[in-house]
């Protein structure tokens, strides 16, 4: 940390790191605006997320292939992100901490390569007008026809979310329609 006191971007990939790595990084480099903790062998905890949320300039968070403990709904409180990467986390259900309030503070969300089968109704049927459209990359999940249809309809009629999906044949939305 002493060699790079003004570090703004931290990208750690794989390896056997001690628990609390995120907390240590936040203490060492409080100016971080981009953090990638990829394929970590230990579990990221609520304390790690609280530490990351304390970074005033954090706008990009990538957790690809890491392991995340079950987190409280408040896990993302304090974060406003241009990008949140949750690819290949083996998520089987939509995380409770990715609720509508958290999604309002994220510009782009990636959930590629998980095991998700559906998106919560409270997100698909969110009646609030879109301040901006949140891009959700969700390729490589286990969404069935109905789940894909629901996401396409939510995108088309509500406009709050835009989904990047592996659409079944015959469901691709035409731009001239």
């Amino acid at each position: 940390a002493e060699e790079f006191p003004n570090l703004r971007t931290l990208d750690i990939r794989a390896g056997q790191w001690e628990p609390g790595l995120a907390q240590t990084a936040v203490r060492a480099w409080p100016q971080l605006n981009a953090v990638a903790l990829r394929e970590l062998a230990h579990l990221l905890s609520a304390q790690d997320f609280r530490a990351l949320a304390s970074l005033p300039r954090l706008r990009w968070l990538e957790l690809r292939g890491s392991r995340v403990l079950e987190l409280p709904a408040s896990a993302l409180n304090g974060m406003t992100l241009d990008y949140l990467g949750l690819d290949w986390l083996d998520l089987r259900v939509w995380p409770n901490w990715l609720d509508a309030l958290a999604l309002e503070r994220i510009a782009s969300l990636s959930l590629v390569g998980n095991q998700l089968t559906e998106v919560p109704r409270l997100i698909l049927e969110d009646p609030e007008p879109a301040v901006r459209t949140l891009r959700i990359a969700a390729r490589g999940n286990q969404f069935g026809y109905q789940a894909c249809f629901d996401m396409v309809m939510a995108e088309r009629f509500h406009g709050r979310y835009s989904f990047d999906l592996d659409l079944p044949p015959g469901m691709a939305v035409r731009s001239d329609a």
Side-chain angles (χ1 to χ4, degrees):
E2 292 174 7
E3 292 178 41
F4 306 104
N6 297 317
L7 190 70
R8 302 278 192 264
T9 301
L10 179 65
D11 188 351
I12 297 175
R13 295 174 189 230
Q16 295 293 326
W17 299 91
E18 292 294 319
L21 171 66
Q23 298 163 62
T24 302
V26 166
R27 283 191 301 274
W29 299 292
Q31 303 302 317
L32 289 171
N33 60 23
V35 175
L37 303 172
R38 305 171 202 242
E39 301 167 17
L40 299 182
H42 74 276
L43 293 167
L44 293 169
S45 67
Q47 292 85 357
D48 293 319
F49 277 80
R50 275 196 295 276
L52 291 165
S54 74
L55 291 169
R57 292 183 175 94
L58 183 65
R59 294 294 174 265
W60 193 88
L61 181 58
E62 171 69 67
L63 302 175
R64 181 184 190 104
S66 289
R67 296 170 44 210
V68 178
L69 283 173
E70 184 62 34
L71 298 170
S74 62
L76 297 179
N77 284 3
M79 291 187 200
T80 299
L81 301 169
D82 294 331
Y83 175 79
L84 176 59
L86 302 175
D87 299 343
W88 304 101
L89 296 186
D90 198 32
L91 297 173
R92 296 178 187 283
V93 296
W94 190 272
N96 68 334
W97 43 273
L98 274 181
D99 60 12
L101 292 175
L103 294 175
E104 286 177 2
R105 298 184 315 273
I106 300 169
S108 180
L109 172 64
S110 186
L111 292 160
V112 172
N114 283 290
Q115 303 295 317
L116 298 172
T117 58
E118 61 185 4
V119 173
R121 286 260 165 241
L122 66 109
I123 291 170
L124 293 174
E125 298 172 355
D126 193 341
E128 293 296 317
V131 175
R132 64 183 159 121
T133 300
L134 166 59
R135 180 85 176 139
I136 300 176
R139 291 180 175 270
N141 279 280
Q142 303 297 317
F143 298 120
Y145 185 88
Q146 186 63 50
C148 288
F149 180 78
D150 292 345
M151 285 183 272
V152 168
M153 292 297 104
E155 177 178 337
R156 190 165 189 95
F157 295 109
H158 295 292
R160 189 165 183 160
Y161 305 105
S162 170
F163 298 96
D164 180 10
L165 301 167
D166 299 315
L167 291 175
M171 189 183 272
V173 178
R174 295 181 5 215
S175 61
D176 62 344

